[in-house]
Amino acid sequence: MSKKLADAELKNLPGKWKLAEDHKSIKQSYEFKSFAEAWSFMSHVALLAEKMDHHPDWSNSYNKVEISLSSHDAGGLTSRDLELAKAITEFVWIPGKA
């Protein structure tokens, strides 16, 4: 089990991740052009998560994906959550850029 992070360690979250009000998870929403793009993104994140053995809570509705990261066994956020958030953030492409 990983050690739960202190609030001071959560000031510089990757990308546009937001700290939940209860400080037990971080969340981010993504919107894509189509269901197929959203599904492709989720497939990639699933592979990242499996490789890291750390899995998100998420939902998908057509072209929207909501992701929440938390280490349930630690009762809050750990370095594993930040590492997965960083990996997801680094993957997300900007439309129109190669």
Side-chain angles (χ1 to χ4, degrees), residues 1-5 24 70-78 81:
M1 176 169 78
S2 299
K3 181 184 153 236
K4 184 176 168 182
L5 298 174
K24 291 185 178 183
S70 183
S71 294
H72 302 289
D73 60 343
L77 291 159
T78 68
D81 300 300

Side-chain angles (χ1 to χ4, degrees), residues 38-96:
W39 191 265
S40 176
F41 169 74
M42 290 178 68
S43 295
H44 183 81
V45 170
L47 294 173
L48 286 173
E50 190 65 21
K51 186 175 182 178
M52 297 175 80
D53 193 30
H54 191 57
H55 305 92
D57 291 322
W58 58 7
S59 66
N60 165 246
S61 178
Y62 181 61
N63 67 331
K64 294 180 176 105
V65 177
E66 305 271 337
I67 302 177
S68 176
L69 301 175
S70 183
S71 294
H72 302 289
D73 60 343
L77 291 159
T78 68
S79 60
R80 297 178 75 207
D81 300 300
L82 299 184
E83 289 168 13
L84 183 53
K86 184 175 186 279
I88 293 168
T89 299
E90 289 173 352
F91 165 72
V92 176
W93 68 91
I94 299 170

